[in-house]
Amino acid sequence: GENVEQHPSTLSVQEGDSAVIKCTYSDSASNYFPWYKQELGKGPQLIIDIRSNVGEKKDQRIAVTLNKTAKHFSLHITETQPEDSAVYFCAASGGTYKYIFGTGTRLKVLA
Amino acid sequence: DGGITQSPKYLFRKEGQNVTLSCEQNLNHDAMYWYRQDPGQGLRLIYYSQIVNDFQKGDIAEGYSVSREKKESFPLTVTSAQKNPTAFYLCASSISAFGQNEAFFGQGTRLTVV
């Protein structure tokens, strides 16, 4: 079945450094790749997304890259701040009308 | 304000009881979803509905039931057949049934078996 692998499961960085989270998907029909941020006790919120006809997208300190050939996509956060600390989920959808989520990355930004 | 509302925020269930989690959206979205979240396992799909009066089983539907009688409402019942119901439950909706748009999540319901 469809699967999304996400790495690493935990990531600690110093404030101001960059953070990179990577995901791999299995369904070649996937064409929409959102990233969600979840703070403790709350529902996930979309922070950035990318579609299959685009290789890279940036929004201020956040960027996402997509390699359809390798079925990889990554989230890049630059100049990290303490408020970036949260759990981040990648997802893929489009082939079966469902969102398939990765297992999440707990990001800790150390002040 | 438009959004998706889950209630209650916390719910306690005794062994053998059925409980129903509420999910309401005023975004006029066609599609709605229920996910279960356990530590270290990400979000697992329980049920989804692409349109009113229709719903499909997700990956872990056993012990759960849903209905979609109204476009804005997608309640989830956790039955006594669900042997390990303690988890954080998330409801989501998206504008189209084709999974290619942003999914909006509610704030979740934490269910605990006592």
Side-chain angles (χ1 to χ4, degrees), chain A residues 31-32 36 38 41-44 46 49 51 89 93-94 96-103, chain B residues 33 35 37 42-43 45 48 50 59 88 90 94 97-103 105-107:
Chain A
N31 56 12
Y32 175 65
Y36 287 85
Q38 185 179 27
K42 296 185 178 180
L46 182 76
D49 57 12
R51 298 184 190 277
F89 291 97
S93 77
T96 56
Y97 310 149
K98 299 184 291 185
Y99 300 91
I100 307 299
F101 285 86
T103 50
Chain B
Y33 311 82
Y35 288 90
Q37 187 173 28
L43 283 72
L45 184 64
Y48 65 104
Q50 295 175 284
D59 301 316
F88 190 51
L90 287 161
S94 64
F98 300 103
Q100 297 177 25
N101 295 280
E102 177 181 359
F105 283 86
Q107 292 297 294

Side-chain angles (χ1 to χ4, degrees), chain A residues 1-51:
Chain A
E2 305 96 343
N3 184 49
V4 174
E5 293 187 2
Q6 183 173 347
H7 300 281
S9 57
T10 60
L11 179 61
S12 293
V13 298
Q14 291 291 328
E15 183 178 358
D17 287 350
S18 295
V20 180
I21 303 171
K22 299 181 178 182
C23 289
T24 304
Y25 61 97
S26 61
D27 185 358
S28 57
S30 297
N31 56 12
Y32 175 65
F33 307 92
W35 285 89
Y36 287 85
K37 176 183 181 182
Q38 185 179 27
E39 297 178 345
L40 192 63
K42 296 185 178 180
Q45 284 196 305
L46 182 76
I47 55 171
I48 195 167
D49 57 12
I50 192 168
R51 298 184 190 277

Side-chain angles (χ1 to χ4, degrees), chain B residues 30 32 47-56 66-69 74:
Chain B
D30 281 326
M32 297 187 75
Y47 269 96
Y48 65 104
S49 169
Q50 295 175 284
I51 199 167
V52 66
N53 291 323
D54 181 67
F55 50 83
Q56 307 293 328
V66 293
S67 63
R68 186 85 187 276
E69 297 176 0
F74 191 41

Side-chain angles (χ1 to χ4, degrees), chain B:
Chain B
D1 287 335
I4 184 164
T5 302
Q6 289 186 242
S7 62
K9 188 170 183 178
Y10 299 98
L11 187 58
F12 297 90
R13 191 193 94 168
K14 293 183 179 179
E15 297 277 355
Q17 273 186 339
N18 292 352
V19 291
T20 297
L21 284 60
S22 171
C23 178
E24 303 276 332
Q25 54 100 357
N26 61 3
L27 300 167
N28 199 33
H29 285 174
D30 281 326
M32 297 187 75
Y33 311 82
W34 273 105
Y35 288 90
R36 169 177 171 145
Q37 187 173 28
D38 296 282
Q41 295 197 47
L43 283 72
R44 293 186 290 167
L45 184 64
I46 305 173
Y47 269 96
Y48 65 104
S49 169
Q50 295 175 284
I51 199 167
V52 66
N53 291 323
D54 181 67
F55 50 83
Q56 307 293 328
K57 291 182 179 180
D59 301 316
I60 56 165
E62 185 176 352
Y64 300 98
S65 66
V66 293
S67 63
R68 186 85 187 276
E69 297 176 0
K70 297 187 294 183
K71 188 175 185 179
E72 60 270 23
S73 179
F74 191 41
L76 173 74
T77 297
V78 184
T79 75
S80 57
Q82 171 50 239
K83 297 307 178 189
N84 184 23
T86 295
F88 190 51
Y89 291 87
L90 287 161
C91 180
S93 70
S94 64
I95 191 168
S96 97
F98 300 103
Q100 297 177 25
N101 295 280
E102 177 181 359
F104 291 80
F105 283 86
Q107 292 297 294
T109 293
R110 186 166 297 281
L111 174 63
T112 304
V113 173
V114 296

